[in-house]
Amino acid sequence: MKYLLGIDFGGGSSKSTLLSEEGKIVAESTTEYPTLYPKHGWTEQNPDDWFSAACQNIKNVLAKSGIDSGDIAAVSLDAATHTAVIMDEDFNVLRPSIYWTDTRSTDEVKYLKDNYLDIIKSQVLHTPDTIWTLPELLWVKNNEPETWSKVRKIVFAKDYVRHKLTGDYVTDFIEAEGSMLFDFNTMDWSKDLCGILDIDISMLPTLVKPTDIVGSITAEASEITGLAKDTPVLCGTTDTVMEVFASGAVKKGQMTLKLATAGRICVVTDKPYPDTNIINYSHVIDGLYYPGTATKSCAASYRWYRDTFGEDYKALDDGASKISVGADGLVFHPYLNGELTPYANPKLCADFIGVRASHTKAHFTRAVLEGVAMSMLDCRIALEELGIPHDSEAVIIGGGGKSPLWRQIVSDALGMTFIEKKYSDSSLGSAMLAGVAVGIFQTPEKAVEQCNETVSKTVPDIENTKKYETLFKKYKAAQKAMEIIYNDEAYSLC
């Protein structure tokens, strides 16, 4: 029996999934790592924390499964996009990586819009925002010149970990699409965009396909992880496309809704949709894309709430389930790190509006869950306003979707039916992709047929949907009023 190993790096943890050639999950392991907030608006992670978490997860799945690591046919990695690792010529990390939810580069974004907007929009299909690698790196160049002077290698999260496993120096073209240093027209690094940073293209990794085998486990990595020396490792790609793939969205019109650290609604299309509110990426299937809307702090909002005010998720859900729709007038905006769709405004802040003495902790919990649902409704409306064709149902993915309460709240708020798959994690998608790369699965579509299993459907309650329509009006009115304050430097509260 041959096996496939997928390794994911998410917003707060790494997960490994061991998949058999029959398409069955044999073992899983998750290890958390810290996200750092050294200053207001800053969000960072240490690359070596990713590697340590991966090593721990690999050991765990090998121990749980009891398999011979020599039977692993291939390994694939994925991670959140935009997260650059800057290194010197010897691959030593020079500073913590700026995570994509970071908002420090607002001045750099303004500079790019004022001076390079036409070039960027013609090559990247996106508008400058703090989420992209280019403004993040420009901030380092402007504010940490001593560090910047030492930069000789720039790579991305999954590629850094893979380099530690194999010694390679590559990335895939889908990852590159998220850097704002890549030209969609030539499908190569852009000299124009790299020129903004005064860097040579040679500092960037070689571009390959996600399914290309780019190296094998070194003797040193074998000793650290327990993987067999010379095990093939493919490039892999980004976490969202791996979730889209694992969920079974491989045909035009199929849709996913993600309740994870960030929230996203993605639709499989046959072309990109350039727009301020849309993030465009290629699918792993040639000729397809998965443009999507995004809210920055989705499950991140619930995690922040849990970590700040205590109790575990089950206890919080239990309390919130006893509160009626609308949380008795309490409204939450989940803008912990600014917001993307449909505001593209890093200055927005999270808030609770309408607090009364009668509100309990359970009301606040319910408001957090509903606030994220309102944000996802904003995302769905943005997609529909662009006329992107899609199915009437969506596969729900991400850790938040495993909560029956939250799943129902979002279904009611959006008036959409959700399909829940038995497994849809990015790490599963990476394991499936590894199977495609080595021929265990003939095509991505065949991998989906073998590994994708529906377990339930969540149907919206029509009466609750009507109530959420009213709540959404309050949510939007409060957002509009508060945005004036958040945008005004003289009066900003955050």
Side-chain angles (χ1 to χ4, degrees):
M1 177 77 75
K2 290 296 182 181
Y3 300 89
L4 304 156
L5 181 62
I7 305 172
D8 165 64
F9 301 93
S13 63
S14 176
K15 181 173 182 179
S16 291
T17 295
L18 188 66
L19 185 70
S20 76
E21 63 184 11
E22 297 172 337
K24 304 299 182 184
I25 291 180
V26 179
E28 299 175 300
S29 177
T30 300
T31 299
E32 292 190 352
Y33 40 71
T35 297
L36 312 173
Y37 304 95
K39 291 185 180 180
H40 173 70
W42 292 26
T43 310
E44 300 181 343
Q45 292 183 354
N46 282 316
D48 285 334
D49 288 341
W50 307 330
F51 182 65
S52 297
C55 291
Q56 185 59 57
N57 284 335
I58 292 167
K59 292 175 184 176
N60 288 349
V61 296
L62 289 174
K64 288 179 180 179
S65 65
I67 70 163
D68 185 330
S69 63
D71 290 329
I72 295 178
V75 179
S76 182
L77 292 76
D78 69 80
T81 42
H82 320 295
T83 310
V85 183
I86 56 174
M87 300 175 288
D88 64 18
E89 59 187 9
D90 296 318
F91 294 92
N92 297 308
V93 176
L94 295 173
R95 71 175 322 282
S97 289
I98 298 175
Y99 201 63
W100 71 271
T101 56
D102 188 286
T103 60
R104 77 184 73 179
S105 58
T106 51
D107 289 343
E108 284 71 25
V109 168
K110 183 179 186 304
Y111 171 79
L112 292 171
K113 287 181 176 178
D114 290 344
N115 295 278
Y116 297 98
L117 184 60
D118 289 343
I119 294 174
I120 291 172
K121 291 182 75 172
S122 68
Q123 295 188 17
V124 182
L125 307 179
H126 297 118
T127 303
D129 192 278
T130 56
I131 68 172
W132 304 102
T133 312
L134 172 56
E136 293 169 355
L137 294 180
L138 189 56
W139 182 92
V140 177
K141 182 177 185 290
N142 291 342
N143 293 275
E144 298 179 356
E146 185 175 346
T147 297
W148 186 254
S149 68
K150 300 174 184 176
V151 177
R152 297 294 180 273
K153 305 287 184 184
I154 301 171
V155 75
F156 303 94
K158 74 171 191 314
D159 306 310
Y160 173 76
V161 177
R162 198 188 56 251
H163 169 78
K164 300 274 282 185
L165 295 173
T166 70
D168 73 76
Y169 187 54
V170 306
T171 195
D172 67 290
F173 68 91
I174 302 177
E175 181 86 64
E177 289 172 355
S179 67
M180 202 162 270
L181 296 170
F182 178 84
D183 188 340
F184 275 71
N185 304 301
T186 63
M187 295 300 286
D188 203 350
W189 297 118
S190 165
K191 289 184 179 180
D192 293 332
L193 299 175
C194 289
I196 298 172
L197 294 170
D198 295 322
I199 62 171
D200 193 272
I201 286 177
S202 63
M203 296 168 64
L204 295 168
T206 302
L207 290 168
V208 300
K209 294 181 179 179
T211 50
D212 284 351
I213 302 295
V214 297
S216 58
I217 299 298
T218 64
E220 181 181 0
S222 174
E223 200 167 315
I224 295 171
T225 63
L227 291 172
K229 181 178 178 296
D230 297 328
T231 300
V233 182
L234 56 148
C235 180
T237 187
T238 70
D239 59 348
T240 302
V241 73
M242 286 295 89
E243 286 178 324
V244 170
F245 176 39
S247 74
V250 292
K251 296 179 181 178
K252 182 180 175 181
Q254 292 182 316
M255 182 173 9
T256 61
L257 184 144
K258 178 180 180 180
L259 295 179
T261 299
R264 289 197 69 185
I265 302 178
C266 296
V267 183
V268 179
T269 65
D270 57 5
K271 66 177 182 178
Y273 284 79
D275 185 85
T276 302
N277 290 321
I278 298 294
I279 298 175
N280 290 278
Y281 284 107
S282 299
H283 202 292
V284 290
I285 298 175
D286 290 343
L288 294 182
Y289 298 82
Y290 66 101
T293 51
T295 181
K296 273 191 174 182
S297 299
C298 180
S301 292
Y302 204 18
R303 182 174 179 176
W304 162 81
Y305 181 78
R306 179 202 66 177
D307 293 347
T308 304
F309 299 104
E311 287 193 276
D312 58 46
Y313 288 126
K314 185 180 183 307
L316 290 171
D317 276 11
D318 287 346
S321 68
K322 298 177 176 64
I323 304 300
S324 60
V325 170
D328 291 331
L330 185 60
V331 177
F332 174 71
H333 294 100
Y335 312 145
L336 292 172
N337 294 293
E339 185 55 302
L340 294 175
T341 307
Y343 311 109
N345 189 348
K347 293 183 179 181
L348 293 182
C349 301
D351 53 50
F352 288 97
I353 301 291
V355 183
R356 294 287 189 181
S358 58
H359 288 135
T360 65
K361 182 176 181 178
H363 285 89
F364 281 87
T365 305
R366 177 96 191 189
V368 169
L369 300 178
E370 292 183 334
V372 172
M374 295 295 99
S375 182
M376 298 306 293
L377 179 54
D378 251 343
C379 288
R380 193 207 74 187
I381 291 171
L383 282 172
E384 292 177 347
E385 287 177 345
L386 287 172
I388 299 176
H390 59 78
D391 297 346
S392 60
E393 299 179 334
V395 177
I396 190 163
I397 60 179
K402 293 178 171 59
S403 161
L405 173 64
W406 207 0
R407 195 166 64 240
Q408 188 66 58
I409 286 173
V410 179
S411 174
D412 292 347
L414 274 64
M416 288 180 61
T417 295
F418 292 141
I419 301 167
E420 185 187 8
K421 299 294 184 177
K422 188 172 184 179
Y423 302 103
S424 59
D425 295 322
S426 300
S427 55
L428 170 60
S430 281
M432 291 163 60
L433 194 70
V436 173
V438 297
I440 287 176
F441 305 126
Q442 292 180 342
T443 63
E445 293 87 350
K446 290 290 184 183
V448 166
E449 288 177 14
Q450 199 157 342
C451 305
N452 198 257
E453 182 182 344
T454 298
V455 294
S456 71
K457 281 192 176 185
T458 301
V459 179
D461 181 306
I462 296 175
E463 291 304 312
N464 284 347
T465 300
K466 292 178 182 177
K467 294 175 183 177
Y468 280 123
E469 288 175 359
T470 300
L471 177 63
F472 188 62
K473 292 176 182 177
K474 296 179 182 178
Y475 175 92
K476 293 289 283 186
Q479 183 281 326
K480 185 176 182 180
M482 293 302 294
E483 187 169 21
I484 296 171
I485 298 173
Y486 298 142
N487 283 338
D488 192 326
E489 296 294 338
Y491 299 102
S492 179
L493 302 176
C494 59

